Each structure stands twice: as structure tokens, then as C-alpha cells.
Amino acid sequence: MRVLVVGGVPFGVLVAGVGSRLAMMLLRFTSPDRVIGISSDDDFTIGKFSIGGTYNLLLLGAAVGFLGAAMYRLVRRWLIGPMWFRRLTTGLASAAVVGSGLVHADGIDFILLKPTWLAIGLFVALPGVFGAFIGPVVDRVASPDSWTARGRRRWVLPVLSIALFPLTMMIIPFAAVIATALIVLRQSDIVQRLRTSTPYGLVVRGLWLGIAVLGLIALIEDITEIADRV
């Protein structure tokens, strides 16, 4: 839990929270004036900057960062190839899966915001950047010689992260239960034998690949529909 909080929350705030705010600000200046004041699909007022709205984005980014760090820890063992290839594939998979959830044709965001290619590109690139770099961040925090694990910082940093972004408190208990269950399962002889078997590894990697492919297909379909509507 310490690794997920310290590694995931600040990075999620930076990329998903601050990154989303900067992307929205950029689209505010590149879009026509008639979109100013319109409520977005996520109920944000386009063109309006507020402390409360920005903090809500940072809260959402913190939650996304925690979940993203947890997902990376789940798939890390099944990544293949040299390190650069692992970073690349996690970035592309994140861009496809999360991007397919962010980019949608059944609203007004990607119809009104201009240029359309920039709006789509930004909200596909953000999860891609997150996916590519969450691995190095989490691995560094998990390292025994990490500065985040020394002395009081070991408990001060996670407590501070949760205090600043309390939305994560709604997720941590569920993550802790799942983590505990996984630890117990991994200690059983049957699971240990399965984890070292080639067919099991192929099935797990196939499932993760299937999720990424389905995300890519959904993303392409949404982009095609948006292009037809614009």
C-alpha cells in the first residue's frame, strides 16, 4: 500500500490532474469562443477556471494514479522484452484502454472543442504518458534503497498523500483486501505451480493483450464516429 500511495498518487496528480487541466486550458484557446460557458460531458464549465474545479481534477488524478500503480504491479510480472519495450507497451496499452474511455462520440466535448485532432490527441496522449512512466516511478519507490522508504518518510509520505487527496481513502480498503487475497493465493502450492507453467503465462498475457486490443478497437470506432459527425 505504501508503494501504491507514494508512487501512484503524486504521479497521478501530476499527469492526470495537472495534465488534464493544462490540456483543457490549451483547448480553451484553440476552440471558438462560442464554446465558452458550455458544460462539458463531465460537468465542467468550458473556459472557467476555479480552485474547486481544479482540486476536483487533482483528486481524480490521485485516484487514477493509485489505481494505475496497482494495475502496473499486477501486470509487471507478465511484461516481456527489454525494459524500453516494456515501457513502450504499457504506454500504448494505457493509451488504448484509458483513451477509449476518455474519447467518446456520444457527447459534445470532442465535437465542439477544436481542433478535433488536438482534443483527441491530448486525451489519448495523457494516459499513454502515464502508462509509460508509472513503471519507473513505482519501481523506484518499491526499491529497498529508495529515499521514500527511509526513516520517518516511510510513513509521513503516504499519510501526507492521503491527507491531501482523501478520495484515495475510498479505494485503499478495497485494494488492501484484494492484495491480501492475492498474497494468500500465491502461497498455495497449486497457484505457485500454475504461475511457473508456460500455458498459464500465455493465458494471462493473452488476456492482458486482449484487453488492450479491445480498447484500441473501441478507440478507433469512437474516433471514426467523431470524424463523421464533425
Side-chain angles (χ1 to χ4, degrees), residues 4-5 8-21 24 40-44 51-69 98 101-102 104 109 123 126-127 130 134 161-162 164-171:
L4 299 185
V5 172
V9 170
F11 191 66
V13 169
L14 176 64
V15 177
V18 177
S20 295
R21 174 52 74 189
M24 293 176 184
S40 69
D41 297 332
D42 297 318
D43 206 26
F44 288 98
I51 300 298
T54 300
Y55 181 63
N56 287 336
L57 271 179
L58 299 183
L59 282 175
L60 182 61
V64 168
F66 181 87
L67 292 174
V98 181
L102 296 176
H104 48 271
D109 288 356
F123 287 98
L126 280 174
F130 179 88
I134 187 63
S161 297
I162 294 172
L164 290 174
F165 307 102
L167 182 61
T168 52
M169 278 299 298
M170 300 176 61
I171 307 172

Side-chain angles (χ1 to χ4, degrees), residues 64-129:
V64 168
F66 181 87
L67 292 174
M71 289 300 299
Y72 169 73
R73 295 284 285 187
L74 283 176
V75 305
R76 181 184 59 168
R77 183 177 183 270
W78 308 107
L79 299 175
I80 60 175
M83 191 59 68
W84 68 267
F85 185 74
R86 297 183 182 192
R87 305 308 185 206
L88 176 63
T89 52
T90 53
L92 292 176
S94 180
V97 175
V98 181
S100 67
L102 296 176
V103 177
H104 48 271
D106 56 351
I108 63 171
D109 288 356
F110 295 95
I111 303 301
L112 297 180
L113 296 175
K114 303 296 180 180
T116 305
W117 64 267
L118 179 61
I120 294 174
L122 286 173
F123 287 98
V124 172
L126 280 174
V129 170

Side-chain angles (χ1 to χ4, degrees), residues 176-191:
V177 171
I178 295 173
T180 302
L182 290 175
I183 291 172
V184 172
L185 285 174
R186 287 173 181 173
Q187 291 176 346
S188 69
D189 294 336
I190 296 177
V191 173

